Amino acid sequence: MAAAHPLDGRPAVLVHRDVRRTADGLGPDRAAWTATVGAAVRAGLPLVDLLLKPLGPWPASPEVFARAARFGLAAALPATTFARGAFRTVEARALIAGMSAHSMLDLRSPISAGYGLLLAVLAHLVGWPVVRGGSQVLADALVAELRSLGGEAVSGHRVRRLEELDAPVVVLDVTPRQLLAMADLPDGYRRRLERFRYGPGVFKLDWALDGPVPWRDPAVASAGTVHLGGTLEEIALSEAETVAGRVSPGRTCCWSSRTRPIRRGAGTPCTPTATSRTAPGRT
């Protein structure tokens, strides 16, 4: 199961690979989920490939373009507007809000619905896979591919000035403040970087628990990802406060638990898991 969304006083909303099974859990919103998320799932990976491509040229069939246009009409909306317009139940609205919160936008902002819709589509099309052996395996594979092409990966070395790099092209993955310290920039560009306002960040905690999480709804334990945020209104308030630079008392949290039990110390078993949540940005 890709995801679960617990709600106070109600059974958790469950996202299965099967669209119909997920829709069946949404009661009165069964047809609405099938008509919105389900329609994009039926368009399949050609639609996803088109959505994730860089800007043009787009070699796709007219049918894929038509489906992308229909998807875009909903995706361009604020998540709050889409959720209230498309669904009637607390469960369906909360489900799309939890997925849209991955955008780290105010859910009243345009296109925030698109993030939630695409994640829902991917949950049904391919699931939300986790690398077997952990994320380090993915990093190792990327480095191995780089080296096979003649590249070199250097870690543990801090580059303080761009002049240290002897290369015709330099691609940076740094923040505006770090770039200001590394390079002599034109005055106008420097002033723009100095005025840059950071958006929300992500705060992550890794846990080693002495047993499985005792979820109120046992079905939640089967989900690889759990969205803890409550209803649409609660999640929307949390994200709006975070984007505004304030600490919301009811914060949206993402719980990941698709890991194997490990042993610690003298062989005592424990369950590794992780939680992440957004944190207000700072100027």
Side-chain angles (χ1 to χ4, degrees), residues 53 79 107 115 117-118 130 150 211 217 236 257 262 268 282:
K53 281 183 181 294
L107 298 192
Y115 291 86
L117 284 169
L118 184 57
V130 175
D217 184 341
S257 58
I262 60 175
T268 306
R282 290 289 182 265

Side-chain angles (χ1 to χ4, degrees), residues 8-241:
D8 291 339
R10 301 168 183 264
V13 191
L14 307 177
V15 182
H16 302 275
R17 282 289 298 274
D18 188 280
V19 176
R20 293 181 182 177
R21 189 176 177 188
T22 301
D24 287 343
L26 298 176
D29 277 324
R30 178 186 299 107
W33 188 265
T34 303
T36 52
V37 175
V41 172
R42 290 191 294 275
L45 290 177
L47 172 62
V48 175
D49 290 342
L50 179 62
L51 294 173
L52 297 181
K53 281 183 181 294
L55 293 177
W58 296 310
S61 68
E63 181 183 2
V64 172
F65 277 116
R67 292 185 173 184
R70 288 194 293 271
F71 179 88
L73 289 174
L77 295 172
T80 50
T81 301
F82 172 75
R84 290 174 179 136
F87 306 117
R88 293 180 292 161
T89 63
V90 170
E91 289 83 358
R93 290 178 175 180
L95 182 56
I96 205 69
M99 295 194 177
S100 299
H102 283 273
S103 68
M104 297 175 66
L105 296 171
D106 186 329
L107 298 192
R108 299 169 298 180
S109 299
I111 77 168
S112 54
Y115 291 86
L117 284 169
L118 184 57
L119 281 176
V121 169
L122 291 173
H124 293 310
L125 273 178
V126 296
W128 291 351
V130 175
V131 179
R132 182 176 296 165
S135 298
Q136 185 63 51
V137 174
L138 176 58
D140 292 342
L142 291 172
V143 171
E145 176 67 12
L146 173 67
R147 288 174 174 161
S148 73
L149 298 172
E152 182 183 5
V154 178
S155 61
H157 176 79
R158 182 171 183 176
V159 177
R160 300 182 182 276
R161 297 288 298 176
L162 292 185
E163 291 82 358
E164 300 174 27
L165 303 174
D166 182 17
V169 178
V170 176
V171 180
L172 299 174
D173 183 15
V174 298
T175 69
R177 290 176 186 166
Q178 289 172 321
L179 178 56
L180 286 169
M182 293 171 65
D184 296 322
L185 304 171
D187 291 341
Y189 186 39
R190 173 172 288 275
R191 285 193 294 270
R192 288 198 297 274
L193 291 181
E194 289 172 343
R195 293 194 299 268
F196 181 84
R197 184 181 185 277
Y198 287 85
V202 174
F203 180 82
K204 178 176 177 288
L205 274 178
D206 293 311
W207 301 83
L209 307 179
D210 60 3
V213 178
W215 300 107
R216 185 176 300 169
D217 184 341
V220 175
S222 299
T225 299
V226 183
H227 290 152
L228 303 173
T231 64
L232 165 66
E233 290 73 21
E234 290 170 328
I235 295 174
L237 175 61
S238 171
E239 296 305 298
E241 289 286 281

